[in-house]
Amino acid sequence: RSYKEVYADKSKQTEWEKHFFLTCSLAFLCMISGTLSAAETNYNVLFIQSYTNSSSWHNNLIAGLQDGLEEGGVKANVVIEYLNADFLDFASECVIMRRICERARQRKTDLIVTSSDEAFFTLTHCGDSLPYQIPVVVSGIKYPDRKLFDRMPNVSGFTSVTDFNVLLEEANVFPARKEIVCLSDSSFLSAKGVEAVEEAWESFHKKHPEYSLRTECAEKVPQLSHNV
């Protein structure tokens, strides 16, 4: 398929995911209160972003959540927290997440929403009990842990699995180049991504033996942000 076709399919998927994401948010708020009434309750919602506030798509996600709550007639105080997973090792992420959970507990948070794998994974592995006590809505999970989901009936949301078979086929956009380079870092999620690429590579290479695959791994540099 052409790049435009893939992009069009992705755009349709994004609109569906946004709708489903907001539906899940409203459904969980219903579970909390029994009845949604803007006049009765003002809910405290925590939205945890995996990366930094400089990521271009985060503002769109925040606006989508806030607009959806308003359209549903729900009064909500939405607090945004950033994990900065691009710049931290896992131990540092857990320290930051425990601080996020403690602040959320002090605000008496009713619902947690997470964006991407890092936020949810760290939330459920940082050692804090908060994500097991209140509803959690996940969005954009590429590598879902089905067993964990089964143990957490308070969790719902949607996955966004990358189709590396489609991505590899886009290599013909540059017909003169026959080497594919897979760049990753040392994180757990990057390792899962490399595994998915190598799995898709087997069938791709059978159809296109003229191509070669090279993987490169760069270490993540641990650093605690001063503003978390």
Side-chain angles (χ1 to χ4, degrees), residues 121-136:
F121 184 85
T122 307
L123 177 66
T124 53
H125 291 80
C126 70
D128 197 287
S129 62
L130 185 63
Y132 296 89
Q133 297 172 346
I134 64 175
V136 178

Side-chain angles (χ1 to χ4, degrees), residues 59-174:
N59 287 336
N60 293 332
L61 293 174
I62 294 168
L65 176 60
Q66 292 173 331
D67 291 346
L69 293 171
E70 287 183 13
E71 290 173 7
V74 178
K75 288 184 178 180
N77 298 317
V78 180
V79 173
I80 316 300
E81 296 271 18
Y82 297 91
L83 184 59
N84 297 347
D86 276 343
F87 304 104
L88 303 175
D89 60 13
F90 181 64
S92 299
E93 288 179 24
C94 287
V95 172
I96 301 307
M97 187 61 77
R98 287 194 291 270
R99 295 175 186 171
I100 291 173
C101 288
E102 183 55 34
R103 290 193 288 266
R105 188 176 285 107
Q106 292 173 0
R107 292 191 302 270
K108 300 186 184 303
T109 296
D110 299 300
L111 170 72
I112 298 175
V113 180
T114 66
S115 173
S116 301
D117 294 72
E118 291 89 343
F120 180 69
F121 184 85
T122 307
L123 177 66
T124 53
H125 291 80
C126 70
D128 197 287
S129 62
L130 185 63
Y132 296 89
Q133 297 172 346
I134 64 175
V136 178
V137 176
V138 301
S139 62
I141 299 291
K142 293 184 175 64
Y143 304 106
D145 185 340
R146 305 293 181 185
K147 293 182 179 179
L148 178 61
F149 284 173
D150 290 342
R151 296 197 303 270
M152 298 183 69
N154 61 312
V155 174
S156 186
F158 68 87
T159 60
S160 180
V161 181
T162 301
D163 191 338
F164 286 108
N165 293 291
V166 172
L167 289 179
L168 288 173
E169 289 294 341
E170 293 303 306
N172 58 23
V173 172
F174 306 99

Side-chain angles (χ1 to χ4, degrees), residues 29-40:
L29 287 171
C30 284
M31 289 172 58
I32 298 169
S33 64
T35 303
L36 285 179
S37 174
E40 292 177 3

